Amino acid sequence: MSATDRVTELTATFTAPSLNVAGLLCDRHAPEHVAFTVVNGAGGASALSFGDLAAESHRCARALQGLGVGPG
């Protein structure tokens, strides 16, 4: 795939009216793969998997729904 084709593909994916951020950032990755590694000031590291990220995302979404926040 050429660079131009890849840019066209990414532009279509990330600007689609039906864009699903959770799907793009969490759900399409294997849950056991590392999403983020955070390094603290002392040099210690902790990892957050895509599964952990999805679980926290869903927890936050439920809390917002409980407050009356909806799509839009």
Side-chain angles (χ1 to χ4, degrees), residues 32-67:
E32 68 276 5
H33 288 175
V34 173
F36 296 99
T37 300
V38 178
V39 179
N40 64 29
S46 59
L48 182 71
S49 71
F50 283 104
D52 295 334
L53 185 59
E56 287 300 311
S57 174
H58 291 129
R59 184 185 65 77
C60 288
R62 285 190 302 276
L64 289 170
Q65 287 172 341
L67 294 171

